[in-house]
């Protein structure tokens, strides 16, 4: 169990002294503060337990350089794609652009995944791709989605054991709205689509962080 | 300064004893653990400082019921719309749907805000709205955006001092992609559009949480 503590002024002062003058013994710190070594014992043990100070026998205390957001990192490192992924909405390669648009409205998603037999990923198509096609000259009923989709291997994917924060980072880095969660097939014949991570997924996870819960 | 500490097994045990049997004195806890009161002193002071235990003179320690994610709450409560908002992309009410689509591609945004004179919010239009119009029968050049936009007062807005987590919550709750950041005009004549918060904004903030920084 990880807990959080607001440091007292005295503890912050001790931290500062050790940062500037460490390694320094407990007795020397006590002397600087005009306090007894016994009075400082709880403060030093808190700072040591928190990982800010390290104690070396016959040398004294020195500053570990640890930063303060370990708890948050710990929480973020527990959030994996597996626990947050949504159900993917898939269409076949020969689906018309018109039918793809209809599917997008019916399923109310921002991105469709295009799959081959056995659910392996062939392409991906966003609202933006469909909008671009819709203002073009071609008949949407006659245009197969495979003509306008982004194809493998140009698709950013993730896997269920990836951290959610890694997936979020890909969404930002590649300026995309959605990442298919895939599972490589045993025979090496492609990537099976098993989920999706979208900016909505990330926004939900962010909101969830603010809800009351035990760490 | 707020720090985090991983509790030792003994501290977790003390917490459990106080939860189950508090109020209980330090001597009684020490007795249960076959330890001296002095040995327990740092443990009790850590648990008290962290706010898990409260000590009442002549009564003993009792459990405060505090949850463990105070640090995270503190961080989230520092993130306001002001520090994260992006620049809004606006069009006029008489813009054609076709020109709106072109603007959306040129500016590479998912939502356009429709404004009246003085930049006051009149409507909002998403990629989804434009896609719906694009597969309709009407000429996109002749159709003004005001016909298809969502109008005030049916627009979810936020203000610069709102918490980012509140804005994120609105995005999820109302299933929208973008929230205009507005400032009420002094004369009560509407809301001036001064920014936008989107799911991209939230995903960026989420990614940022994972970056190393001092709390």
């Amino acid at each position: 169990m990880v807990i959080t503590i607001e440091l007292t002024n005295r503890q912050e002062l001790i931290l500062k002294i050790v940062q500037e003058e460490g390694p320094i013994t407990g007795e020397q710190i006590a002397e600087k503060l005009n306090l007894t070594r016994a009075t400082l014992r709880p403060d030093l043990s808190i700072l040591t337990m928190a990982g800010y100070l390290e104690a070396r026998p016959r040398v004294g205390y020195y500053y570990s350089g640890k930063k303060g957001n370990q708890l948050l990192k710990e929480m973020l490192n527990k959030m994996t794609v597996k626990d947050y992924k949504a159900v993917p909405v898939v269409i076949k390669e020969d689906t018309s652009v018109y039918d793809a648009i209809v599917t997008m409205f019916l399923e109310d998603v921002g991105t469709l995944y295009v799959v081959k037999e056995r659910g392996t990923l062939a392409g991906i198509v966003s609202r933006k791709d469909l909008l671009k096609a819709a203002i073009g000259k071609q008949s949407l009923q006659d245009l197969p989605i495979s003509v306008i989709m982004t194809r493998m291997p140009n698709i950013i994917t993730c896997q269920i054991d990836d951290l959610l924060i890694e997936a979020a980072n890909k969404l930002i880095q590649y300026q995309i709205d959605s990442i298919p969660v895939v599972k490589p097939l045993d025979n090496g014949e492609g990537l099976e689509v098993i989920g999706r991570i979208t900016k909505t997924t990330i926004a939900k996870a962010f909101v969830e962080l603010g809800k009351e819960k035990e760490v």
Side-chain angles (χ1 to χ4, degrees), chain A:
Chain A
M1 184 173 156
V2 177
I3 62 169
T4 62
I5 290 183
E6 174 91 44
L7 292 186
T8 63
N9 289 341
R10 190 164 78 199
Q11 288 160 355
E12 296 208 26
L13 198 54
I14 293 170
L15 198 53
K16 195 152 167 280
I17 289 170
V18 179
Q19 272 180 303
E20 286 169 1
E21 309 186 25
I24 182 171
T25 65
E27 284 76 12
Q28 288 169 319
I29 300 170
E31 203 171 299
K32 278 183 176 290
L33 296 173
N34 278 325
L35 294 166
T36 67
R37 175 75 182 79
T39 309
L40 288 191
R41 193 163 293 130
D43 295 325
L44 289 167
S45 70
I46 282 172
L47 291 169
T48 307
M49 282 185 60
Y52 286 90
L53 299 189
E54 291 184 38
R56 206 172 280 163
R58 280 181 298 278
V59 176
Y61 292 93
Y62 59 97
Y63 180 63
S64 70
K66 180 183 152 172
K67 293 288 185 290
N69 60 345
Q70 297 305 112
L71 171 64
L72 180 62
K73 283 208 181 304
E74 187 166 304
M75 288 187 71
L76 292 175
N77 284 338
K78 278 183 196 152
M79 300 169 85
T80 61
V81 163
K82 189 178 8 217
D83 295 331
Y84 289 88
K85 69 181 167 61
V87 174
V89 178
V90 303
I91 55 175
K92 303 270 181 184
E93 288 178 283
D94 59 1
T95 307
S96 72
V97 170
Y98 186 86
D99 286 344
I101 294 173
V102 171
T103 302
M104 189 170 269
F105 278 109
L106 288 177
E107 302 280 352
D108 199 21
V109 290
T111 309
L112 298 170
Y113 303 146
V114 185
V115 295
K116 290 187 281 204
E117 320 76 60
R118 307 181 51 201
T120 59
L121 186 63
I124 186 167
V125 66
S126 68
R127 262 186 207 144
K128 200 164 146 184
D129 299 325
L130 294 175
L131 188 55
K132 197 178 284 174
I135 58 168
K137 299 287 171 230
Q138 286 188 268
S139 156
L140 300 181
Q141 274 87 353
D142 301 332
L143 189 61
I145 201 70
S146 57
V147 175
I148 69 158
M149 72 186 187
T150 299
R151 286 178 177 281
M152 282 298 287
N154 302 317
I155 302 174
I156 306 299
T157 63
C158 66
Q159 300 197 20
I160 52 169
D161 293 328
D162 292 352
L163 291 180
L164 190 64
I165 195 128
E166 292 169 343
N169 203 28
K170 285 180 181 177
L171 288 169
I172 298 303
Q173 190 186 341
Y174 296 103
Q175 299 184 32
I176 50 182
D177 289 322
S178 173
I179 301 179
V181 183
V182 299
K183 194 171 113 182
L185 287 180
D186 287 339
N187 55 12
E189 287 180 14
L191 304 170
E192 186 189 355
V193 181
I194 57 174
R196 73 187 153 100
I197 295 287
T198 67
K199 284 180 183 161
T200 304
T201 318
I202 306 301
K204 279 183 183 164
F206 183 79
V207 167
E208 208 179 85
L209 283 180
K211 302 260 163 80
E212 192 67 45
K213 63 178 178 185
E214 194 70 42
V215 176

